[in-house]
Amino acid sequence: MAVRVRTLTCGWLTADADGMVPGQPGKMRMPVGAFLIEHPDGTAVFDTGMHADLEHSKARMRSTAELFEMDLSGADTVTGQLAERELAPDDIDVAVVSHLHFDHCGGLAQLPDARLVVQQAEWDAAFHPALVEYGVFNPDDFDLGHDRQLLDGEHDLFGDGSVVAVPTPGHTAGHQSLLIEGRLLLTGDACYCRLALDLDRPPGFAHDVERQREGFAWLREKEAAGIQLVFSHDADQWGTLPAEL
């Protein structure tokens, strides 16, 4: 039973390139990638893009607003992207989030009936008072009353080994990636882009830089084993991806 995976382009962000790949000059414009996963036993998304309010105001981002310029329209929200594929919000059974930063969980408000799947370590870390005050995490993005499944390690989403959440901490305390059919690895922010992986340069503001560097090595091992890596913020790769992976 094949799993269908389709890309969702949930807007674009521009930030200092040095913050994404240390040592890189200038600005970096990057996609906000999410994914639609259709399995015979249910339909899921991996990540949900940004909150719809960010089309008009960055106020909800608090102090982190100054770090990003954003390009977001209604068509770029998760529900806008789903509508282009003739799906409604209530067609989504499960929302797996790599982590709880604004550009990965902001669309949860548009998917109120989906079961939220997140690592327990991520959920716990996302309520740290100082990080919430600064805007690294915003509970208004994710603490919305969803049916919630908190994970502690790997999780087989549909019970047949085809879609597996794999912990990849470092960027955040409970970051996870998604392995599809043993052939495709959706990295989330375990690594922003190919350049960072090739240069072995994790961003300096990660929750645990050394652990993320270990994650980089793990990603290279998976790629060497024939698994395709798909980055959520790599403009060069995103432009070459087919609509269906």
Side-chain angles (χ1 to χ4, degrees), residues 97-102 104-105 108 116 118 122-123 126 136-138 141-142 172:
V97 291
S98 59
H99 62 301
L100 294 170
H101 285 168
F102 78 98
H104 295 264
C105 73
L108 286 171
L116 171 60
V118 62
E122 184 70 9
W123 186 261
V136 174
F137 296 108
N138 182 354
D141 281 344
F142 53 82
T172 59

Side-chain angles (χ1 to χ4, degrees), residues 24-196:
Q24 290 300 112
K27 296 285 186 178
M28 180 178 288
R29 187 172 187 264
M30 66 200 99
V32 176
F35 303 86
L36 173 65
I37 299 148
E38 294 163 290
H39 183 279
D41 292 335
T43 302
V45 291
F46 180 62
D47 289 337
T48 66
M50 298 182 278
H51 195 283
D53 285 358
L54 293 176
E55 179 181 359
H56 305 292
S57 169
K58 296 196 288 185
R60 67 185 299 110
M61 293 179 63
R62 303 187 175 94
S63 297
T64 61
E66 64 189 26
L67 302 177
F68 301 99
E69 301 168 18
M70 55 194 59
D71 182 358
L72 180 69
S73 69
D76 299 324
T77 63
V78 67
T79 52
Q81 288 290 288
L82 292 172
E84 289 185 7
R85 292 151 184 83
E86 301 184 338
L87 290 170
D90 59 6
D91 289 322
I92 304 303
D93 303 302
V94 182
V96 183
V97 291
S98 59
H99 62 301
L100 294 170
H101 285 168
F102 78 98
D103 53 328
H104 295 264
C105 73
L108 286 171
Q110 296 184 313
L111 303 173
D113 298 324
R115 182 174 83 254
L116 171 60
V117 177
V118 62
Q119 292 287 328
Q120 178 79 62
E122 184 70 9
W123 186 261
D124 293 343
F127 291 92
H128 188 286
L131 297 179
V132 171
E133 181 179 3
Y134 188 76
V136 174
F137 296 108
N138 182 354
D140 290 342
D141 281 344
F142 53 82
D143 191 13
L144 303 173
H146 289 82
D147 179 19
R148 188 167 65 246
Q149 184 175 8
L150 299 176
L151 308 181
D152 181 18
E154 287 195 9
H155 175 68
D156 184 347
L157 202 64
F158 295 105
D160 62 359
S162 64
V163 182
V164 180
V166 182
T168 46
H171 178 68
T172 59
H175 189 283
Q176 61 184 351
S177 302
L178 202 66
L179 181 63
I180 311 290
E181 297 180 320
R183 65 176 178 86
L184 190 69
L185 186 63
L186 311 179
T187 69
D189 282 1
C191 180
Y192 286 139
C193 60
R194 165 61 59 187
L195 181 62

